[in-house]
Structures are given as structure tokens and as C-alpha cells.
Amino acid sequence: MRKLSIDRFEGNYAICEDGERKMFAIELGELPKGAKEGDILVISDEGEITVDAEETKRRREKIKKLQNSVWE
């Protein structure tokens, strides 16, 4: 299993990053419907790609706290 974060979209690809800061391009047609920038993707050993909603939410909350602490 591998976890990737969607960094951005370029043309027909989602540019994703793993925990080691390696970048990967995944064709848009392979993504789950509704996947967007910042979502955490889980790629199973069988190649199935899903969005990890809980991890995405946790990371977004962490980033929001960091942003708020900078502006306080």
C-alpha cells in the first residue's frame, strides 16, 4: 500500500507526492470521482486507488492550524 497527496493537476494528469517527496503522475481517468488537490490517495497492492477522507481531513486541519499560528 502506498499513500500519495495530490499536489496539482497538469493537463490529463494529477501530480502527486509521496512521504519521501517523490513525485508521480497519475492519469485523471484512474482517479476516484471527485478527487481534488490536497486529497490523500491510497493505492492498494492490487493497484486500486481510493481517497482516504479521514487522512485528508486530518492533514487539512493541521495545515489550517499552522496557517493560523503564523497570522496570530
Side-chain angles (χ1 to χ4, degrees):
M1 177 179 74
R2 168 172 270 181
K3 285 192 177 188
L4 303 174
S5 172
I6 300 176
D7 181 67
R8 65 187 180 278
F9 294 101
E10 291 185 4
N12 292 325
Y13 296 92
I15 307 303
C16 303
E17 183 177 19
D18 71 4
E20 297 175 2
R21 304 190 59 84
K22 292 181 183 175
M23 304 300 278
F24 300 86
I26 299 175
E27 288 188 25
L28 296 179
E30 295 181 35
L31 295 178
K33 284 194 174 200
K36 54 191 174 296
E37 290 179 4
D39 281 351
I40 305 302
L41 302 176
V42 176
I43 304 174
S44 71
D45 294 335
E46 294 78 28
E48 181 183 359
I49 302 173
T50 57
V51 173
D52 185 336
E54 287 298 315
E55 181 68 11
T56 297
K57 180 181 175 185
R58 188 185 69 74
R59 289 191 188 188
R60 285 194 173 130
E61 288 172 355
K62 181 179 177 182
I63 290 168
K64 187 170 182 96
K65 285 180 185 177
L66 286 170
Q67 288 173 332
N68 289 339
S69 70
V70 168
W71 298 111
E72 290 179 355

